[in-house]
Amino acid sequence: MDPNTENPNIKPRKYVISKKLDSMFFGIYHAYQFVLRFFREVFVPPYEFKEIIHQCYEVGYKSLPLISLTGFITGVVFTNQSRPSLANFGATSWLPSLISIAIIRALAPLVTALIAAGKVGSNMGAELGSMKVTEQIDAMEVSATNPFKYLVVSRILATTFMIPILVMYTACVALMGAFLSVHSNEQTSFSMFFSQVFDTISFLDIFSTTFKSTVFGFTIGVVGCYHGYNSSKGTEGVGKAANSAVVAAMFLIFVEEIIIVQIVNAFR
């Protein structure tokens, strides 16, 4: 006789696996319904323009110090790491072209999205989670206010609009850091450095980076709002919502990066 069947408190292994699979598929379906509700609400008035502008300020302006420091360090470090490899082949003159390709195509959108996922995503998860715990969302529903449109739609639109702008800003700051590193070692002029940078970049690079950063911003907003809006009761639920928002957003960002790179490379 199976020992697990003797004790009613011990669930069979197949039952546990089935329950986990059911929970996973239910979560995917719930997230799908959450995204569909966003697209239904975003085109229906009233439009919360003041809240959208406020959230753009929270996402964009308040992220500038961290984004600036991270972007500058990224440009300097990548340049210093790439120089010895090119110097072995006597190709240090190709350094500006290599830097521009790496920063515009990959580093700027990926670094910005990861920083925003950690800062903005966790903030959204914790903020909406605390509102859920203190029953502020329920109070908004009672007062004839649509909490989903006011809290969720405005935040998702803000991240979708602001992350591409932050990515372009990060790329500019990273290129400035790279220029300072190149100029201090090779004495390359400002005009020569950026002429090589822009000669290497194509319209497809700009389009793919903008599209990629828009997808990243939408993902960060959806994941952060989903975990916060559907957090469980209690203070433990708030911390879990913030943590889950960061982990899930970063995982999806890497998955989307792989998929979009494959699609873009098919057009090159």
Side-chain angles (χ1 to χ4, degrees):
M1 182 180 292
D2 188 357
N4 290 338
T5 59
E6 297 179 356
N7 189 348
N9 295 324
I10 300 177
K11 300 297 183 182
R13 192 171 184 179
K14 292 182 179 179
Y15 174 82
V16 174
I17 295 176
S18 176
K19 189 176 181 180
K20 289 182 178 179
L21 287 176
D22 291 344
S23 177
M24 181 186 70
F25 285 115
F26 178 77
I28 294 174
Y29 175 76
H30 198 215
Y32 171 73
Q33 292 294 324
F34 187 84
V35 175
L36 284 184
R37 185 179 178 185
F38 164 77
F39 283 108
R40 288 195 301 266
E41 297 281 356
V42 71
F43 298 109
V44 178
Y47 305 106
E48 304 290 346
F49 290 112
K50 290 185 178 180
E51 182 63 17
I52 294 174
I53 294 174
H54 174 70
Q55 292 301 324
C56 288
Y57 172 81
E58 294 288 333
V59 174
Y61 179 78
K62 289 193 174 181
S63 299
L64 284 180
L66 183 59
I67 292 293
S68 301
L69 180 61
T70 305
F72 184 83
I73 293 176
T74 300
V76 173
V77 170
F78 182 78
T79 304
N80 292 335
Q81 292 290 338
S82 302
R83 182 181 292 104
S85 301
L86 294 179
N88 292 334
F89 299 96
T92 53
S93 59
W94 289 94
L95 193 56
S97 300
L98 174 64
I99 293 169
S100 64
I101 292 174
I103 290 177
I104 299 298
R105 292 184 184 179
L107 290 178
L110 195 58
V111 169
T112 305
L114 293 177
I115 294 296
K119 182 181 183 300
V120 178
S122 62
N123 184 49
M124 288 183 177
E127 186 177 7
L128 294 182
S130 63
M131 295 181 70
K132 184 80 171 180
V133 169
T134 56
E135 299 181 351
Q136 295 182 45
I137 295 178
D138 297 334
M140 293 178 67
E141 293 178 349
V142 172
S143 61
T145 302
N146 187 346
F148 190 91
K149 178 179 286 291
Y150 186 81
L151 299 175
V152 175
V153 173
S154 60
R155 283 166 169 79
I156 296 177
L157 288 177
T159 55
T160 305
F161 293 151
M162 296 307 299
I163 296 300
I165 298 176
L166 290 176
V167 167
M168 295 302 173
Y169 174 77
T170 304
C172 294
V173 173
L175 289 174
M176 287 302 301
F179 164 71
L180 295 177
S181 178
V182 172
H183 178 73
S184 62
N185 289 274
E186 280 82 26
Q187 304 300 318
T188 304
S189 65
F190 183 86
S191 59
M192 181 179 294
F193 177 85
F194 279 96
S195 65
Q196 294 182 26
V197 166
F198 290 112
D199 286 343
T200 310
I201 300 173
S202 63
F203 174 77
L204 182 60
D205 296 328
I206 302 296
F207 175 79
S208 64
T209 299
T210 305
F211 175 74
K212 187 189 305 182
S213 56
T214 303
V215 174
F216 290 166
F218 179 78
T219 301
I220 294 169
V222 168
V223 172
C225 291
Y226 173 78
H227 286 283
Y229 197 81
N230 297 287
S231 63
S232 58
K233 298 293 184 179
T235 56
E236 183 181 354
V238 177
K240 187 177 180 181
N243 181 67
S244 300
V246 175
V247 174
M250 288 185 175
F251 174 76
L252 291 176
I253 285 170
F254 283 115
V255 173
E256 292 166 352
E257 171 76 14
I258 295 173
I259 296 174
I260 295 175
V261 166
Q262 296 300 322
I263 295 174
V264 172
N265 287 339
F267 289 95
R268 294 192 186 278

